[in-house]
Amino acid sequence: MKRNQILTAILLVLLLTLCFVACACAAEIRPIPVDHDSLDLGNGEFRLSFRSTDRIGNGGYFIAVLYLQDHYDAKQIRTLAPGNKVLINDHSWTVKEIIPHTDPASPDTVTAYEICPEEAFDGYMVFESGKDGSFIAVVNDWIPVTSVGFAKVLLPLPDSFRYTPVVSGEEDMPLSAEEFLNSLQADENPFNAYNTSGIFENGNLVSVTHASYPNGPDNDEEQPPVWKFCHGLRDGLDTAVITAYFTDCETGAEPAEVSPEEAEWVRCIAMNSRVMEKADDTSVTGGTWIYSFETPGGKHLLSIEMYRGLIVGSDGMYAYR
């Protein structure tokens, strides 16, 4: 019996190791990571979408979801070569061909690099030089973004608040806070992270600028990354501190030990796996494992709840690969 237990333990370690190796994908060009510990969500300009807009009239607040546009290292983009892989909007693409675009006023100056991927793709992907010396990716007129946090916006909005629509590429006259709130509560909320930006000062939302175009990706993502499915933050997962909890239907979540091998296995799932179809409609109240990811500075990035090899969602349990 003891020998069987030792063999089982060895096989488990080998399985976790193989999983970690398999998940460690080939090197690819990725967006510059966001340093969440140094990010000030109360001050600065962000891309925005909005949630809990039904609480405007019954609660006196709404939730702003904050995003930053993805930026890429200029040296990596300028040295792109066929065969390289680039991560754009959480999808990995293999570069087949690169088409440089030059400045009409300076034909020797390349300002953008269009890539043609080996994989099937309808449209265009271009890396354009940004104001800070880095590059941004433009995909069919929209720019990929990464969620960096949330802000609870209390009402009323500041007297200095300004809502500015953009019409035909030109900023229109600013509108009132009341007109902005009415738009937020419309049957079809027109705001998303690809067409809306806002400025926060000292934790207050002081301005919103919105255009009717673009709307971002054509369709909702059918196989989202695990971190996105679990409403987490992407950057920082590779160095996050992972803690585990086991849930009991009576006592709740209790801290549990997590081995280095298990932690890396869960990290691999969070960073590299995608959520597939719903595997079970059951909602469980106990017997699950919760893995929490925090930055070294203590900022929460992600929580994954798992039950018998499935990821627990709000409406059931999902398979992943």
Side-chain angles (χ1 to χ4, degrees):
M1 178 66 70
K2 185 175 182 180
R3 182 184 177 189
N4 288 338
Q5 291 176 336
I6 294 174
L7 288 174
T8 300
I10 293 173
L11 288 173
L12 177 60
V13 171
L14 287 173
L15 179 61
L16 293 174
T17 303
L18 287 173
C19 174
F20 176 68
V21 172
C23 286
C25 55
E28 62 186 350
I29 296 173
R30 292 172 169 258
I32 299 171
V34 175
D35 182 357
H36 291 285
D37 283 334
S38 64
L39 190 61
D40 183 0
L41 299 181
N43 292 281
E45 184 172 4
F46 301 89
R47 310 299 295 188
L48 299 176
S49 66
F50 302 102
R51 296 178 182 171
S52 301
T53 54
D54 59 325
R55 301 311 301 269
I56 290 175
N58 183 23
Y61 73 91
F62 60 88
I63 300 297
V65 187
L66 280 55
Y67 306 79
L68 291 177
Q69 293 180 337
D70 289 343
H71 286 253
Y72 294 79
D73 180 79
K75 182 178 180 180
Q76 291 182 326
I77 299 304
R78 294 188 187 281
T79 56
L80 271 175
N84 289 163
K85 289 185 178 293
V86 293
L87 189 73
I88 300 176
N89 198 41
D90 303 310
H91 287 274
S92 185
W93 303 94
T94 307
V95 178
K96 180 179 180 181
E97 182 183 0
I98 304 164
I99 304 172
H101 293 233
T102 59
D103 183 348
S106 180
D108 294 332
T109 303
V110 178
T111 58
Y113 297 85
E114 182 174 355
I115 66 168
C116 302
E118 292 183 1
E119 298 80 7
F121 177 74
D122 183 18
Y124 72 88
M125 289 185 281
V126 177
F127 288 102
E128 295 184 352
S129 57
K131 296 179 180 179
D132 62 352
S134 64
F135 278 77
I136 59 172
V138 182
V139 184
N140 294 343
D141 294 349
W142 54 271
I143 298 172
V145 297
T146 294
S147 174
V148 295
F150 306 86
K152 184 175 183 179
V153 181
L154 300 177
L155 300 177
L157 293 167
D159 293 337
S160 60
F161 176 84
R162 291 292 180 270
Y163 169 44
T164 307
V166 176
V167 180
S168 300
E170 298 291 334
E171 290 191 0
D172 205 347
M173 291 293 294
L175 302 179
S176 67
E178 181 180 359
E179 290 170 296
F180 167 67
L181 295 176
N182 288 339
S183 297
L184 273 185
Q185 298 174 89
D187 291 338
E188 294 188 8
N189 188 324
F191 304 96
N192 63 60
Y194 307 97
N195 63 25
T196 304
S197 63
I199 295 175
F200 283 82
E201 292 180 359
N202 299 319
N204 296 313
L205 180 63
V206 297
S207 75
V208 169
T209 301
H210 165 73
S212 60
Y213 180 85
N215 289 318
D218 292 334
N219 301 307
D220 291 334
E221 198 165 14
E222 295 181 357
Q223 297 180 357
V226 168
W227 65 264
K228 183 178 288 187
F229 176 83
C230 296
H231 306 291
L233 305 179
R234 180 186 67 194
D235 294 327
L237 294 179
D238 55 336
T239 58
V241 177
I242 301 175
T243 53
Y245 303 84
F246 183 75
T247 65
D248 183 272
C249 58
E250 295 183 357
T251 61
E254 297 288 343
E257 292 186 5
V258 55
S259 68
E261 293 81 10
E262 184 180 2
E264 292 310 310
W265 168 67
V266 174
R267 192 190 310 276
C268 175
I269 292 173
M271 295 180 63
N272 302 315
S273 295
R274 290 184 174 272
V275 173
M276 308 297 285
E277 72 283 348
K278 186 191 292 186
D280 195 325
D281 287 323
T282 304
S283 295
V284 292
T285 58
T288 65
W289 288 87
I290 299 175
Y291 297 93
S292 176
F293 293 67
E294 291 187 353
T295 68
K299 181 175 178 58
H300 181 75
L301 299 175
L302 170 69
S303 289
I304 300 176
E305 187 171 8
M306 304 187 72
Y307 181 80
R308 296 183 179 180
L310 299 175
I311 294 176
V312 179
S314 60
D315 59 346
M317 293 178 282
Y318 289 76
Y320 64 90
R321 66 170 178 85

